Amino acid sequence: MAFNSSIRVLVAGGLALLGSIASALAEPVRIVAFGDSLMAGYQLGPGESFPEKLEEALKARGHDVVIANAGVSGDTTSAGLARLDWSVPDDTQLVILGLGANDMLRGVDPDVTERNLTQMLERLDARDIDVMLMGMLAAPNLGASYGTRFNGIYPELASRFDVELYPFFLDGVTTVSGMTLEDRMHPSAAGVDRMVDGVLPLVEAYIAEQG
């Protein structure tokens, strides 16, 4: 009788363990989209921001994923660095990092931008959180010297930290009719769709690697 009781305890314990494992495996991939107005969905309607549309696209393709919108309009890399730790929960698996556009528009020294992004990547790496870096390009009116320095930041950091790089977050949006708002800088809803189309394969590949 005691032997049978021991078996029942062992079986119950084993089933509980299997249940815990199954529960862990069923957890969605948790992503934080961390950036400025390009992430936040500046002047767009509900459900039209980049994080929302990316999550919708991934779910439509059968992926169990939750994407938090941690975009703040107007944020520079300095502002982003100041709020990084509390904006990214500990259970985050991937951060889609898109900052630097406001640095460029304000003519911030590229060395400052690179230093801030470096610290963000270091902090996320120390927390064992993966990063996908959204690149940005300098406006031509800032001059060739500034453009060369600024544009080189993202490829260099992606190589140094061995993170995935999407070379230009606004690829297919900037200067394309109908893809931007009246300010010709921020993406329209159609522009966000184009951004999602570009980034989606990279995020899908990341999710596949986690499985």
Side-chain angles (χ1 to χ4, degrees):
M1 183 68 71
F3 179 72
N4 289 337
S5 297
S6 298
I7 291 177
R8 284 197 295 272
V9 170
L10 288 172
V11 170
L15 290 174
L17 177 60
L18 288 174
S20 298
I21 293 172
S23 177
L25 291 175
E27 285 294 310
V29 177
R30 298 191 180 278
I31 300 173
V32 171
F34 187 81
D36 47 36
S37 56
L38 302 180
M39 291 288 188
Y42 176 76
Q43 289 192 353
L44 298 177
E48 292 184 337
S49 70
F50 174 81
E52 291 171 296
K53 286 199 168 187
L54 179 59
E55 180 180 299
E56 180 184 19
L58 288 165
K59 286 184 174 178
R61 296 170 74 91
H63 301 291
D64 188 11
V65 60
V66 174
I67 302 181
N69 187 342
V72 175
S73 295
D75 255 13
T76 60
T77 56
S78 295
L81 177 61
R83 68 181 177 90
L84 177 71
D85 294 337
W86 57 263
S87 296
V88 179
D90 288 337
D91 62 353
T92 302
Q93 293 162 261
L94 174 69
V95 168
I96 300 175
L97 177 57
L99 279 170
N102 288 313
D103 293 48
M104 177 268 295
L105 292 173
R106 299 178 187 187
V108 172
D109 187 334
D111 288 345
V112 174
T113 302
E114 180 174 5
R115 184 165 60 248
N116 290 333
L117 288 171
T118 296
Q119 290 185 56
M120 289 184 223
L121 289 165
E122 289 174 344
R123 289 186 186 182
L124 292 170
D125 181 62
R127 296 172 63 189
D128 198 27
I129 297 174
D130 296 322
V131 176
M132 190 172 292
L133 189 60
M134 301 292 104
M136 186 51 57
L137 297 175
N141 65 320
L142 291 169
S145 176
Y146 187 94
T148 297
R149 293 174 62 208
F150 183 87
N151 296 346
I153 292 172
Y154 299 89
E156 194 279 327
L157 289 178
S159 176
R160 192 197 315 173
F161 287 91
D162 192 26
V163 299
E164 191 73 52
L165 172 68
Y166 187 71
F168 182 38
F169 196 24
L170 291 172
D171 184 38
V173 175
T174 304
T175 74
V176 179
S177 177
M179 293 293 175
T180 61
L181 301 178
E182 292 183 0
D183 62 14
R184 297 185 180 181
M185 292 189 298
H186 292 92
S188 63
V192 172
D193 287 337
R194 174 65 188 85
M195 295 162 69
V196 168
D197 287 343
V199 176
L200 182 62
L202 297 181
V203 181
E204 276 202 295
Y206 173 81
I207 293 173
E209 289 176 0
Q210 306 316 298

